[in-house]
Amino acid sequence: MIQYPHLDIKEDSYMPKGLSGLYFDNSIRINKRLLAYEKTGVLAEEIGHHETTHGDILDYNDTRKRKLEVLARRWGYEKIVSLDKLIQCYEARYITIEDVCTHLEITDTYLKSALEFYNVKYGGTCTHKNYRITFDPLNIKPI
């Protein structure tokens, strides 16, 4: 949120059940009923909409709009669960899924989704800043 002071970010008690977040015109609404760690992932995705998409994309029957939704979600993964942050977790000895989730303030579901994204993107493993990262299961080792 500090990186986006121009965005009006608020929790909303009146959001429909099943709607976690909404971005429109530099304004983000997060469903207040979500757990704190759930809000982190939702906020990242909504900021991802700010960064990557324009216009109304609520029609999920439109393939192009579904792709924009995925693009924003992936942007959020790379912001919240970046390779650098995974390495920082390793260096701080946060090596279990629970430790990483607590440190990044995300749910295990969000972390697993981010790792699945990276697994597909990098083909299972990648080298980043002198570390070898395997995504399934998560394993980080210095090279």
Side-chain angles (χ1 to χ4, degrees):
M1 290 172 57
I2 292 170
Q3 295 175 13
Y4 294 90
H6 58 286
L7 295 179
D8 177 34
I9 302 170
K10 291 194 169 75
E11 292 182 272
D12 189 330
S13 301
Y14 301 105
M15 291 186 78
K17 201 171 195 169
L19 184 61
S20 300
L22 185 65
Y23 170 78
F24 57 94
D25 295 333
N26 291 329
S27 180
I28 294 175
R29 296 295 176 261
I30 304 294
N31 192 323
K32 191 171 187 166
R33 292 182 293 264
L34 297 176
L35 299 173
Y37 284 9
E38 291 174 318
K39 291 175 187 174
T40 304
V42 172
L43 180 58
E45 183 175 329
E46 298 310 324
I47 292 173
H49 284 299
H50 169 74
E51 291 290 342
T52 64
T53 59
H54 303 286
D56 179 3
I57 65 166
L58 292 176
D59 180 6
Y60 294 121
N61 293 320
D62 183 328
T63 302
R64 183 183 155 281
K65 292 178 180 180
R66 281 197 316 271
K67 287 180 181 180
L68 292 173
E69 187 70 31
V70 170
L71 180 66
R73 187 169 303 125
R74 289 176 176 173
W75 185 95
Y77 293 153
E78 291 184 325
K79 187 72 172 176
I80 300 299
V81 189
S82 68
L83 299 179
D84 288 336
K85 287 182 182 180
L86 290 174
I87 290 168
Q88 288 170 1
C89 286
Y90 171 80
E91 290 174 341
R93 301 192 194 285
Y94 301 127
I95 54 174
T96 68
I97 294 295
E98 294 79 15
D99 290 342
V100 172
C101 289
T102 299
H103 181 71
L104 298 178
E105 298 182 354
I106 58 175
T107 64
D108 63 335
T109 302
Y110 190 83
L111 177 61
K112 289 174 185 175
S113 295
L115 294 175
E116 286 173 15
F117 161 66
Y118 285 134
N119 194 39
V120 170
K121 180 177 181 176
Y122 293 109
T125 62
C126 77
T127 301
H128 183 74
K129 295 188 176 177
N130 295 318
Y131 286 89
R132 182 148 197 88
I133 305 171
T134 304
F135 302 105
D136 187 20
L138 179 59
N139 189 1
I140 302 168
K141 296 288 182 207
I143 298 176

